[in-house]
Amino acid sequence: MKHATLFFGLWAAAMPGLTLGQMTVADTLEQSTVVTRLGYANRTLFAGRDFGINQYMITPGITYYHKSGINVDVTGYYFSQSQPLYELTALSVGYMHNVSDNLLLSVDLSRSFYTQTDAEFPALFPYNAYLSGSYDWGNWMAGLDYTFLFGNETAHRVRPRISYYMSWKNVGIFDRISLNPTLSATFGGDQISFEQLRPVSMLTDDNPRLQAIANNSKQKANGNANSGKGNGKSKGSGPVAQPPVPPANNAIAQQSYFGLMCYTLSVPLRFTLGTVRVGTMYNLVFPVKLYPTESISTNPVSYFGLSLSHTLTLR
């Protein structure tokens, strides 16, 4: 079973390494840069759901940010329980623009290229479009992200968020240490399918037990039941003509849901030394059932992440 292929689209869009949710308006670039990075998460959730899959994720990537606001990103995704382990490469192209001193907008379009395709478990959402806005005042920042996932199926994700930014310069060997706790909520949709069945006769040649019972009942009704002597056969034994089986009239019904899927508290802590940044992140996720019968646990789930990045400034 290709876990990542099935559920990657539920988790998130493939985004550049430095996403809008990790930036303040003041962080927008005055020079073109190339950021290379390596990320690790000890647990992988998909829209707040783990589907019983306990796996870690490694994400190498490189992003080019042009001072005009255009950015191009390539990110790889390695899942510990996926087959193959290196599941996909995501290519994205985006644009960021300062609307004002406090408002930053960003748009992204990405395409996922899977290492191995599978007709049984196709990639549901190989494409996604991402639109985000971020407004900051003082140390506070509020934002709203929208992701449209599409391909073989379509899905929507909406994520409002609010965060508080703190930083300290020249702490020990580090040029800067920053802390950016963020509270967000993920809203999304899901579509479930169920089959409406028209009852049909179970008395078919594929059910020998019911066939034997029917034979015996008919023989008894005709006075030809086996007495248990002789060769064990009775008069009139043999296949019993079956009434015509009505054609299957099954219909696939679908029910769509959209609503709150989870709350998330993220606490990223970053250490900057020259052109190198080391980051840690603690995440606490509170899943919410999208519909009453959804078979997920609503117990809080926590996981942590690590990241290492290097920034090269271009002249």
Side-chain angles (χ1 to χ4, degrees):
M1 180 175 174
K2 299 184 69 180
H3 297 145
T5 300
L6 284 171
F7 304 127
F8 176 75
L10 298 176
W11 172 56
M15 300 176 190
L18 185 59
T19 66
L20 198 58
Q22 298 171 319
M23 300 180 67
T24 65
V25 175
D27 284 331
T28 52
L29 304 169
E30 296 181 356
Q31 294 178 294
S32 299
T33 61
V34 175
V35 179
T36 55
R37 67 193 181 280
L38 181 65
Y40 166 83
N42 75 319
R43 190 165 185 174
T44 304
L45 300 182
F46 306 90
R49 290 135 174 81
D50 63 10
F51 297 97
I53 306 168
N54 189 7
Q55 62 178 338
Y56 64 83
M57 177 179 67
I58 298 175
T59 53
I62 183 169
T63 309
Y64 169 66
Y65 295 97
H66 190 267
K67 60 184 179 181
S68 66
I70 296 173
N71 57 82
V72 180
D73 177 85
V74 179
T75 300
Y77 291 84
Y78 174 101
F79 296 88
S80 62
Q81 298 297 319
S82 176
Q83 293 297 329
L85 296 176
Y86 184 84
E87 179 67 22
L88 61 93
T89 301
L91 172 64
S92 65
V93 178
Y95 176 72
M96 294 185 296
H97 179 66
N98 273 324
V99 178
S100 68
D101 291 340
N102 302 94
L103 180 62
L104 176 66
L105 297 180
S106 175
V107 62
D108 245 57
L109 181 64
S110 73
R111 168 75 160 93
S112 297
F113 299 90
Y114 288 82
T115 304
Q116 179 178 313
T117 57
D118 192 320
E120 184 178 2
F121 301 113
L124 301 181
F125 312 108
Y127 301 93
N128 62 73
Y130 172 74
L131 177 64
S132 182
S134 181
Y135 183 86
D136 66 19
W137 67 100
N139 288 7
W140 289 93
M141 181 172 66
L144 182 66
D145 309 326
Y146 168 73
T147 305
F148 174 59
L149 304 103
F150 59 102
N152 292 308
E153 294 188 15
T154 60
H156 305 268
R157 296 287 181 268
V158 178
R159 187 175 73 103
R161 50 185 164 78
I162 187 168
S163 62
Y164 187 80
Y165 181 78
M166 296 171 281
S167 68
W168 302 269
K169 294 182 178 180
N170 302 317
V171 180
I173 64 171
F174 299 106
D175 299 325
R176 181 187 295 269
I177 297 177
S178 62
L179 184 66
N180 186 212
T182 301
L183 180 63
S184 65
T186 299
F187 294 83
D190 194 11
Q191 183 170 271
I192 62 172
S193 300
F194 55 93
E195 195 171 20
Q196 294 178 322
L197 301 177
R198 175 179 175 178
V200 297
S201 172
M202 293 180 62
L203 195 59
T204 67
D205 291 338
D206 294 331
N207 195 326
R209 180 174 179 273
L210 292 180
Q211 181 75 49
I213 293 172
N215 288 348
N216 193 42
S217 298
K218 185 171 183 179
Q219 291 163 10
K220 287 182 179 180
N222 293 335
N224 295 324
N226 186 358
S227 64
K229 298 180 182 179
N231 60 9
K233 296 181 180 180
S234 61
K235 296 179 182 180
S237 62
V240 176
Q242 301 299 323
V245 177
N249 189 26
N250 303 343
I252 302 298
Q254 294 182 332
Q255 178 67 55
S256 297
Y257 296 90
F258 186 91
L260 177 64
M261 303 185 78
C262 67
Y263 298 100
T264 303
L265 173 63
S266 301
V267 185
L269 179 64
R270 303 183 184 94
F271 303 85
T272 303
L273 179 60
T275 59
V276 176
R277 174 182 284 182
V278 178
T280 66
M281 181 181 291
Y282 173 77
N283 301 273
L284 182 61
V285 182
F286 299 87
V288 178
K289 288 189 176 184
L290 190 58
Y291 47 91
T293 58
E294 187 178 14
S295 57
I296 64 166
S297 171
T298 55
N299 295 328
V301 180
S302 63
Y303 66 99
F304 71 90
L306 299 172
S307 64
L308 176 66
S309 67
H310 174 265
T311 300
L312 173 65
T313 302
L314 304 179
R315 300 187 184 278

